[in-house]
C-alpha cells in the first residue's frame, strides 16, 4: 500500500519539480512577471499560468496519476512490451491536446507559425512531464523490469 502511494505521489512531484528547475534556470524565462504576463498568449504567459496555479495543477496531476497512470502502469508491469505503445499513445494525446489548446489561444491575426510554435511548446511541456513520470515509475520498479517477470500491484 505504501509503495503504491509513493508511485502516485512521487512521479508528478518530480515532474513538476524538474519543470520548475528548468524554468528557473533557463535565461529566457527569467523575465516572467506573474499576473502581468497572463493572457498574453505567449510562452511567458503560459509559464506565469503554471507558476500561479501550480497547487491546483499538482492536485490534478495526483488524481490523473491515480486514476489513469496507475492502471496503465499495472498493465506495463504485467507485460513490459506494453510500455512502448502506451507511451506512444500518451505522446499522441499530448500532441493532439497541445495543438487543440494552441488553436484555442492562437490569435488568427498572427502568423500561422506562432500557432505551430505554441503547439510545439505545449507538446514539449506535456511530453517532458510524461517522460519524467515514466522514468520515475521505472526507477521505483526497476527490480521488476530486471527480473523480467510480470508483477502485480495491490488493488485499492
Amino acid at each position: 500500500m505504501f509503495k503504491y502511494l509513493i508511485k502516485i505521489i512521487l512521479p508528478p512531484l518530480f515532474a513538476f519539480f524538474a519543470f520548475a528547475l528548468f524554468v528557473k534556470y533557463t535565461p529566457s524565462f527569467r523575465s516572467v512577471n506573474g499576473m502581468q504576463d497572463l493572457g498574453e498568449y505567449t510562452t511567458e504567459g503560459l509559464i506565469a499560468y503554471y507558476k500561479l496555479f501550480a497547487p491546483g495543477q499538482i492536485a490534478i496531476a495526483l488524481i490523473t496519476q491515480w486514476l489513469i497512470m496507475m492502471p496503465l502502469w499495472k498493465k506495463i508491469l504485467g507485460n513490459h512490451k506494453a510500455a512502448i505503445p502506451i507511451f506512444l499513445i500518451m505522446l499522441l494525446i499530448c500532441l493532439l491536446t497541445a495543438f487543440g489548446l494552441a488553436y484555442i489561444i492562437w490569435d488568427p491575426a498572427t502568423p500561422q507559425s506562432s500557432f505551430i510554435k505554441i503547439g510545439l511548446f505545449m507538446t514539449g511541456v506535456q511530453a517532458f512531464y510524461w517522460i519524467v513520470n515514466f522514468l520515475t515509475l521505472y526507477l521505483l520498479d526497476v527490480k521488476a523490469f530486471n527480473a523480467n517477470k510480470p508483477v502485480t500491484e495491490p488493488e485499492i
Side-chain angles (χ1 to χ4, degrees), residues 92-129:
L92 178 64
I93 292 169
C94 289
L95 188 71
L96 294 173
T97 57
F99 274 91
L101 289 170
Y103 184 76
I104 291 169
I105 65 172
W106 171 59
D107 181 8
T110 61
Q112 194 173 20
S113 62
S114 71
F115 161 69
I116 293 169
K117 186 176 164 184
I118 293 167
L120 289 175
F121 175 75
M122 291 174 72
T123 301
V125 169
Q126 292 179 54
F128 178 81
Y129 172 85

Side-chain angles (χ1 to χ4, degrees), residues 26-111:
T26 301
S28 62
F29 295 135
R30 290 203 180 135
S31 65
V32 176
N33 297 319
M35 291 296 275
Q36 295 170 317
D37 290 324
L38 282 178
E40 292 295 318
Y41 305 117
T42 62
T43 303
E44 290 79 14
L46 184 64
I47 299 300
Y49 168 81
Y50 278 114
K51 283 183 173 183
L52 290 171
F53 297 105
Q57 293 172 346
I58 290 172
I60 291 168
L62 292 171
I63 293 168
T64 302
Q65 186 77 5
W66 176 41
L67 296 176
I68 296 172
M69 189 59 204
M70 291 314 295
L72 291 174
W73 191 249
K74 187 176 176 180
K75 286 183 182 184
I76 291 171
L77 289 176
N79 178 11
H80 302 324
K81 292 179 182 179
I84 293 171
I86 287 173
F87 187 74
L88 290 176
I89 289 169
M90 291 191 80
L91 287 180
L92 178 64
I93 292 169
C94 289
L95 188 71
L96 294 173
T97 57
F99 274 91
L101 289 170
Y103 184 76
I104 291 169
I105 65 172
W106 171 59
D107 181 8
T110 61

